[in-house]
Amino acid sequence: MTILVTGGAGFIGSHATVELLESGYDVVVIDNLVNSDIEAIKRVKELTGIDFPFYQYDLLSYKQLQKLFKTYKFEAVMHFAGLKAVGESIEIPINYYHNNITGTINLCRVMDEYGVNKLVFSSSATVYGNPSTVPIYETFPLSVTNPYGRTKLIIEEFLKDLSASNPKWRVVLLRYFNPIGAHESGRIGEDPKGIPNNLMPYITQVAIGKRDKLKVFGNDYNTHDGTGVRDFIHVVDLVKGHINALNFLEKTIGIEIFNLGTGQGYSVLDLINTFSSVTSIDIPYEIVERRPGDIAICYASPDKAKKILKWEAEKSLRDMCKDSWNWQINNPNGYRS
Ligand code: NAD
Ligand code: UDP
């Protein structure tokens, strides 16, 4: 059974490729490497001991996609490829809309043309906007505050319309909470270009001495210690949920939506303290203004995924800190080390 992985050189896609290969699937990966490094593909091959085809293709090139679908008979597609930086999406919305939305439409068009109709899509908890209560259920109202989030919401709506148009389409939308951590080998992990936007890579770069101190964005939220609360989930747990989603696609029709989170909220200070306790490294930080657009508390109800996908996260916050640090210490400059 051959699975096409788009964006398979990226943070989550590379871990998913390992999980797919170890679960016995054949895999073909495409990625235009706009936010990743070919080294990730080499490492996945080395880690699993399995060779697989990789193409530096762009979802915006319909010709490249046709060439690919002519060559392989895919059972399903896991679609990770996309641009994901919120701040950048505000600065260059044309790129974000074009890349994420046109890229997904191209992918679905070529899937349709070649009779491949099973799709697992990487959505995000950002589509819940600022929820009025927590935990967040899949049925909560949707709203977004930035172009990145809007591309996810538009793609979700597009995929709902596509499934409604013809029962041959089988789609799973996975709404990720906050993926952190890395493969326990320390060979693959998150490799942000430039200054990290996200909390965990910032913490590990402070720990290794690449940045002086962490800026904590606000301590006046209505949370147990005033800092923002998030549902951090280990990337390996997250990608395991994708394997369950693939199995689910075998015996379902239409479209289903699942939260992938732990169901547990931890604050920014909880994460800093856990990281320090696991690594014995002090993380200097200062409290600064809230970051515009941030919400106070966001954590999932993972009940639906547990009940229907038979999946739940297993790794602890300490595991996430240990593995993020192991990746950082072994690769001080990411894949360019
Ligand atoms: P990433 O940037 O590490 O990986 C995405 C990959 O897609 C990159 O390797 C990039 O080079 C590739 N890509 C982008 N546009 C492409 C195109 N037009 N053609 C081919 N390849 C292209 O990001 P990630 O953290 O691995 O995220 C994977 C998916 O999950 C994304 O869709 C992202 O929006 C979504 N997501 C991520 C998070 C998170 O916190 N990391 C949270 C929620 C949702
Ligand atoms: N955060 C922070 N300093 C940083 C990066 C993030 O205090 O340098 C906080 C942010 O305000 C939020 C939490 O950490 O409360 C998680 O932010 P991240 O960008 O990792 O993910 P988000 O939930 O915004 O997608």
Side-chain angles (χ1 to χ4, degrees), residues 6-14 30-37 57-60 79-84 99-100 103 121-126 148 152 174-180 190-191 193 198 238:
T6 77
F11 171 43
I12 302 170
S14 57
I30 62 167
D31 198 302
N32 66 359
L33 304 181
V34 67
N35 194 40
S36 49
D37 199 297
Y57 281 178
D58 195 317
L59 287 180
L60 295 178
H79 178 30
F80 298 95
L83 299 173
K84 64 163 184 177
N99 190 75
N100 292 2
F121 174 64
S122 304
S123 190
S124 165
T126 192
Y148 164 69
K152 290 292 174 195
L174 298 177
R175 294 182 180 151
Y176 307 161
F177 281 68
N178 287 61
I180 58 172
E190 186 170 12
D191 183 18
K193 292 197 166 139
N198 297 113
L238 185 91

Side-chain angles (χ1 to χ4, degrees), residues 178 197-199 202 214-217 228 230 268 291 294:
N178 287 61
N197 297 308
N198 297 113
L199 181 59
Y202 209 106
L214 174 73
K215 292 190 176 81
V216 173
F217 299 139
R230 295 291 181 272
V268 174
R291 185 171 63 179
D294 275 356

Side-chain angles (χ1 to χ4, degrees), residues 18-40:
V18 169
E19 203 61 39
L20 281 164
L21 292 167
E22 288 181 346
S23 304
Y25 291 95
D26 292 324
V27 172
V28 175
V29 173
I30 62 167
D31 198 302
N32 66 359
L33 304 181
V34 67
N35 194 40
S36 49
D37 199 297
I38 187 69
E39 180 64 20

Side-chain angles (χ1 to χ4, degrees), residues 25-223:
Y25 291 95
D26 292 324
V27 172
V28 175
V29 173
I30 62 167
D31 198 302
N32 66 359
L33 304 181
V34 67
N35 194 40
S36 49
D37 199 297
I38 187 69
E39 180 64 20
I41 298 294
K42 289 190 192 142
R43 303 256 184 115
V44 171
K45 292 183 180 181
E46 165 210 293
L47 261 178
T48 57
I50 300 171
D51 198 10
F52 56 86
F54 168 77
Y55 298 90
Q56 189 176 344
Y57 281 178
D58 195 317
L59 287 180
L60 295 178
S61 165
Y62 196 70
K63 275 208 174 119
Q64 290 181 343
L65 292 179
Q66 277 185 314
K67 218 161 105 187
L68 191 73
F69 277 71
K70 248 182 226 157
T71 312
Y72 300 96
K73 174 81 195 107
F74 297 117
E75 181 64 28
V77 179
M78 277 194 194
H79 178 30
F80 298 95
L83 299 173
K84 64 163 184 177
V86 171
E88 191 182 62
S89 80
I90 296 167
E91 285 158 27
I92 47 170
I94 294 174
N95 293 28
Y96 271 68
Y97 277 82
H98 187 47
N99 190 75
N100 292 2
I101 297 172
T102 313
T104 303
I105 293 173
N106 276 348
L107 177 66
C108 291
R109 256 183 71 201
V110 79
M111 287 172 69
D112 203 34
E113 194 179 327
Y114 287 85
V116 181
N117 299 103
K118 292 186 199 131
L119 179 68
V120 179
F121 174 64
S122 304
S123 190
S124 165
T126 192
V127 299
Y128 294 115
N130 194 353
S132 46
T133 56
V134 279
I136 299 170
Y137 291 88
E138 288 83 352
T139 48
F140 272 25
L142 306 179
S143 72
V144 284
T145 53
N146 59 69
Y148 164 69
R150 212 159 284 120
T151 66
K152 290 292 174 195
L153 194 52
I154 291 170
I155 294 168
E156 284 203 0
E157 297 299 322
F158 162 66
L159 293 174
K160 284 178 196 164
D161 288 339
L162 192 60
S163 318
S165 72
N166 192 323
K168 72 184 179 187
W169 282 97
R170 301 170 179 211
V171 178
V172 169
L173 307 180
L174 298 177
R175 294 182 180 151
Y176 307 161
F177 281 68
N178 287 61
I180 58 172
H183 191 269
E184 62 176 5
S185 63
R187 297 295 289 160
I188 56 172
E190 186 170 12
D191 183 18
K193 292 197 166 139
I195 302 171
N197 297 308
N198 297 113
L199 181 59
M200 183 54 114
Y202 209 106
I203 291 177
T204 61
Q205 290 198 7
V206 171
I208 205 163
K210 286 178 86 168
R211 320 236 162 245
D212 288 346
K213 59 181 163 187
L214 174 73
K215 292 190 176 81
V216 173
F217 299 139
N219 67 348
D220 56 352
Y221 287 107
N222 187 16
T223 62

